[in-house]
Amino acid sequence: MSAPRMSAKEALVAVHAARGERDVVVTTMSPARDWMTLRQHPLDVVLVPSAMGHATSIGLGIALAQPERRVIVCNGDGSMLMNLGSLVSIAAAGAANLVVLVFDNGVYEVTGAQPIPSPGAIDFVAIARGSGFASVFEHSEIDRWREDVQRILSAPGPTMALLHVEPVTGIPGPRSPGPAADRGRRFTAAIQQQG
Ligand SMILES: Cc1ncc(C[n+]2csc(CCOP(=O)(O)OP(=O)(O)O)c2C)c(N)n1
């Protein structure tokens, strides 16, 4: 019997509801696609298009530059595999304000659902613990995730939560929400405006 998985969109909606006004949320891949269907926030960083794997590194950079803010990264499992070393960098930097959510759907969803290497066999929880993350969680049931998300986002960081989610097929990948330079300028202005 395969392991239970929750709806990725519903899991993301719970993150959207729990996010604080001062939080930065970095999204990529299918989480970025679904995030863009929800109410937008000036401190959203939508990494589309993107070099695969860099959401955690960009999240780390923002977390170190803005230590008084929480930074939440919504990453794909394939992208996480492509930059596992960033987990060591995050822990080594002591980025206590960084939360990494890994949306484990077992596939490269946005390019057509090709399986990631060794789907189901990679222990992201052990990898995060072994990298030195302060708090590590694993969820596969939407009701429990909804109940726990606020507590998990507020846990001593750096924090990783592995979310087992259903892959979705047959819908297009995320589309760029506009020129990256313009979005970068708007993001910087929003940070400065909040102070
Ligand atoms: C270095 C690199 N290799 C391959 C790609 C092509 N590519 C773009 S998205 C993607 C799949 C992303 O999968 P995952 O991170 O698991 O997110 P999901 O689509 O499942 O949400 C691939 C293979 C890329 N953009 N960059």
Side-chain angles (χ1 to χ4, degrees):
M1 202 177 75
S2 59
R5 293 177 180 275
M6 57 188 161
S7 151
K9 177 77 185 280
E10 286 179 24
L12 201 67
V13 166
V15 177
H16 190 269
R19 112 53 91 80
E21 272 308 297
R22 294 183 57 81
D23 294 345
V24 173
V25 180
V26 179
T27 55
T28 187
M29 304 305 168
S30 60
R33 178 197 65 210
D34 292 342
W35 194 260
M36 284 189 279
T37 67
L38 306 173
R39 184 176 47 81
Q40 303 296 287
H41 188 287
L43 299 185
D44 289 346
V45 178
V46 175
L47 292 179
V48 178
S50 67
M52 196 179 163
H54 292 286
T56 43
S57 299
I58 289 170
L60 173 58
I62 298 171
L64 294 179
Q66 296 282 314
E68 304 303 324
R69 287 176 195 279
R70 183 165 58 187
V71 178
I72 303 164
V73 175
C74 300
N75 204 13
D77 49 357
S79 299
M80 192 67 257
L81 283 177
M82 212 164 261
N83 193 4
L84 280 178
S86 64
L87 297 177
V88 177
S89 302
I90 288 165
N97 56 330
L98 185 57
V99 180
V100 176
L101 306 178
V102 178
F103 285 71
D104 159 36
N105 57 14
V107 296
Y108 299 127
E109 183 171 309
V110 301
T111 51
Q114 304 85 358
I116 64 164
S118 305
I122 299 152
D123 192 341
F124 285 105
V125 165
I127 292 169
R129 288 210 178 103
S131 302
F133 270 56
S135 300
V136 183
F137 304 91
E138 183 170 17
H139 275 269
S140 56
E141 289 168 17
I142 190 64
D143 289 343
R144 280 203 48 227
W145 173 241
R146 285 194 190 113
E147 274 169 29
D148 284 359
V149 60
Q150 197 64 260
R151 180 178 66 84
I152 287 170
L153 294 182
S154 305
T159 297
M160 132 99 65
L162 178 65
L163 307 179
H164 299 287
V165 296
E166 293 278 3
V168 178
T169 53
I171 56 171
R175 296 192 48 182
S176 167
D182 293 348
R183 291 191 273 140
R185 275 189 288 272
R186 284 199 297 273
F187 174 74
T188 306
I191 292 270
Q192 287 167 347
Q193 206 175 354
Q194 264 194 356

